[in-house]
Amino acid sequence: MIVVTGATGPLGRLVIAELRERGVAADRIVAAVRSPEKAADLAASGVAVREADYDRPATLATALDGAERVLLISGNEIGRRVPQHRAVIDAAKAAGAGLLAYTSVLHADTTTIAVAPEHKETEAYLLASGLPCSLLRNGWYTENYAATVAQALATGVLPGAAGEGLVASAARADYAAAAAAVLTGEGHENTVYELSGDTAWSMAEFAATLTEVSGTKVEYRDLPADAYRAALVGNGVPDEVAAYLARLEADIADGTLAHTSGDLARLAGRPTTPLRDTLAALARA
């Protein structure tokens, strides 16, 4: 029995599709979700749907009952994720799971990127639990730039503060394929994978590629971090969020997302999706 948490999210749905592609029977997959009504399509396909609220541990015990392998997709509530993740780890251990794979962040143990602290703490708790685990340290999803693409196509300008920093992003489907490979394969206990795209690109290259695939001229405009933050606030972004996004840009400038280990392509069994392919899809959306 393979349990996928956060199964109605974009990554979770892709992982379940990958599991099915790899021959896992629907009745051997559990979609563990906060809102079961949002998983009606999964239930109709034969996948077991169980309520799993990270903030309600009793639901996790039921959701993970009989689990042999678990994919813990990290929560999206920044500031609350550590206790939520701990609750899932505890439930998986109580269920006697033979493997828990966790979607962390690239180089979680050493990186300075703004999103890392909760991942680092979760990893430490998981390792201390004694539960056989695989740390899937995901880099950037190219789809993270969906809103950025829409705005850039509307204005012709792609503002940022990343300088010449590089991003080795990949499509969400690539990360899903890697997770499915770990969940269905052997020998992944107590492993760490640094997952990122095959090719790193700069924001200037991003703008040039977007121009090519869309036919709309887009120029990257690099700003000092404070000016970028102020521009975000001027466009209606709350100051706290703007500060966070500006820090992420500084992290990119420092090279925190530039690493290309090849782990993602090796696990997925194919090259990662090129930037231009995902940008073309986003431009058409």
Side-chain angles (χ1 to χ4, degrees):
M1 184 75 73
I2 298 175
V3 178
V4 178
T5 73
T8 52
L11 180 61
R13 286 185 174 278
L14 288 171
V15 170
I16 289 177
E18 279 284 344
L19 291 173
R20 298 290 289 118
E21 283 289 325
R22 292 168 185 265
V24 180
D27 62 3
R28 300 299 299 167
I29 301 171
V30 173
V33 299
R34 186 187 297 265
S35 303
E37 64 275 10
K38 294 181 179 179
D41 59 319
L42 295 175
S45 73
V47 171
V49 175
R50 299 177 183 173
E51 182 182 12
D53 187 330
Y54 290 172
D55 294 318
R56 295 164 55 215
T59 67
L60 299 176
T62 301
L64 272 64
D65 183 43
E68 297 169 278
R69 298 188 175 190
V70 177
L71 176 63
L72 169 53
I73 295 179
S74 58
N76 57 12
E77 296 177 275
I78 295 173
R80 299 178 58 188
R81 293 190 287 187
V82 172
Q84 292 176 338
H85 295 166
R86 286 179 175 177
V88 177
I89 293 166
D90 290 345
K93 185 174 182 179
L99 177 73
L100 185 144
Y102 169 64
T103 61
S104 187
V105 69
L106 203 61
H107 298 295
D109 54 341
T110 59
T111 185
T112 58
I113 195 167
V115 299
E118 289 178 301
H119 290 295
K120 184 176 181 179
E121 193 170 344
T122 297
E123 285 192 6
Y125 188 81
L126 177 55
L127 292 171
S129 75
L131 187 64
C133 64
S134 182
L135 303 180
L136 306 180
R137 290 177 170 169
N138 289 355
W140 228 228
Y141 303 147
T142 309
E143 291 91 343
N144 287 349
Y145 292 101
T148 301
V149 165
Q151 182 182 30
L153 292 176
T155 64
V157 176
L158 176 66
E164 298 180 359
L166 300 179
V167 179
S169 72
R172 192 175 275 112
D174 299 329
Y175 294 100
V182 168
L183 292 169
T184 58
E186 300 298 330
H188 297 291
E189 294 81 5
N190 306 317
T191 54
V192 179
Y193 296 109
E194 304 291 351
L195 305 177
S196 58
D198 295 336
T199 304
W201 45 264
S202 68
M203 293 307 298
E205 291 171 317
F206 182 104
T209 302
L210 182 56
T211 296
E212 291 175 14
V213 300
S214 69
T216 299
K217 174 65 176 176
V218 174
E219 174 189 1
Y220 176 60
R221 186 171 298 167
D222 196 59
L223 303 170
D226 288 345
Y228 177 64
R229 176 179 175 177
L232 291 174
V233 172
N235 286 328
V237 177
D239 186 67
E240 184 177 350
V241 176
Y244 184 77
L245 294 175
R247 182 183 167 188
L248 282 176
E249 290 287 291
D251 290 332
I252 291 172
D254 287 341
T256 57
L257 294 176
H259 182 65
T260 54
S261 70
D263 282 356
L264 182 53
R266 282 191 288 272
L267 282 178
R270 55 173 169 74
T272 60
T273 305
L275 173 67
R276 67 178 299 111
D277 290 2
T278 304
L279 289 187
L282 292 175
R284 291 193 300 268

